[in-house]
Amino acid sequence: MSQHAIPDQVSFDQLADLFVQQSALHSPSELHGYLCGQLATGARLSLESWFQAAQQQIGIEEVPTATLRASLSLMYQVTLAQLEQAGFDLQPLTPDEDHALAQRAEALGLWCHGFLCGYALARGKPAEALTEDARDGLNDLAQIAQIAVDESDGEESEANFMEIHEYVRMVALLIFSECNRGPELDKPIATVPADSALH
């Protein structure tokens, strides 16, 4: 496992179970996309601010449980590390291959929607300040957010989905790269000890 791989505590299935327990209205994929969109703009959150933002984004009324807070803390810190280390480990958080292709495609669409929302809410660079490739990438994410697959095509559909999944990943890395340049962004993020996130 790579140093910055997503740990088991923030796998899609683990988070989905925690979301169900707290009657969340949205998917782990959408929340991860939202986080990546926020970070791509150069925004950095304290963990407490991240907990509040996550609670709002997934639509839960009660304060996140200690277990969910711990998982959200790991999600934030690992995702930021992945992006800052050239992002080679970054993967949109979607169900694994044991799930139906339609479910994985829907989750990828939700991830793209979350990314666009996070980018917009954090006031990312306007389109005219981005390169043409990055502008095109944002437009493509908006299209992919509406993704649907025909599982009757079998292996061809699977191959197409994997290609789109990789493209989404590369768009996120490109936008992060363009918006996170300069010494003013090389600041440590506010974190708390791992055990204190459980209280």
Side-chain angles (χ1 to χ4, degrees):
M1 177 180 292
S2 175
Q3 178 182 359
H4 298 301
I6 288 285
D8 290 342
Q9 295 95 318
V10 285
S11 71
F12 179 90
D13 287 341
Q14 288 271 17
L15 278 173
D17 288 344
L18 293 174
F19 280 25
V20 168
Q21 291 171 19
Q22 293 218 226
S23 302
L25 301 177
H26 299 285
S27 163
S29 298
E30 191 167 4
L31 180 64
H32 187 242
Y34 172 84
L35 173 59
C36 290
Q38 289 263 313
L39 295 176
T41 69
R44 300 294 182 265
L45 303 173
S46 68
L47 287 181
E48 198 57 45
S49 295
W50 163 233
F51 294 150
Q52 293 172 7
Q55 181 179 350
Q56 181 177 8
Q57 287 302 311
I58 63 179
I60 60 175
E61 296 182 0
E62 298 180 358
V63 174
T65 63
T67 303
L68 180 54
R69 284 167 65 93
S71 293
L72 292 174
S73 174
L74 278 171
M75 176 192 280
Y76 183 93
Q77 296 186 58
V78 172
T79 301
L80 180 60
Q82 289 176 335
L83 287 164
E84 290 181 334
Q85 297 297 321
F88 295 117
D89 294 321
L90 179 73
Q91 292 290 340
L93 186 63
T94 57
D96 62 28
E97 294 180 1
D98 292 338
H99 294 75
L101 179 58
Q103 184 179 355
R104 286 180 279 145
E106 179 184 14
L108 184 62
L110 290 171
W111 192 95
C112 292
H113 180 264
F115 184 96
L116 294 170
C117 288
Y119 187 84
L121 289 173
R123 299 184 179 180
K125 285 185 178 181
E128 58 268 20
L130 297 171
T131 63
E132 182 177 357
D133 285 344
R135 289 197 302 271
D136 289 345
L138 282 175
N139 290 332
D140 289 340
L141 291 187
Q143 295 296 318
I144 296 169
Q146 311 298 322
I147 189 173
V149 298
D150 183 357
E151 294 196 67
S152 63
D153 290 339
E155 293 183 4
E156 182 177 352
S157 288
E158 183 71 36
N160 289 340
F161 171 76
M162 295 305 296
E163 184 176 329
I164 293 170
H165 191 280
E166 177 64 11
Y167 177 72
V168 166
R169 188 178 81 88
M170 296 308 295
V171 167
L173 294 175
L174 173 62
I175 294 171
F176 180 89
S177 175
E178 290 198 10
C179 297
N180 286 264
R181 294 173 178 161
E184 70 279 3
L185 292 170
D186 295 331
K187 300 175 182 177
I189 63 169
T191 60
V192 297
D195 58 349
S196 66
L198 299 175
H199 300 293

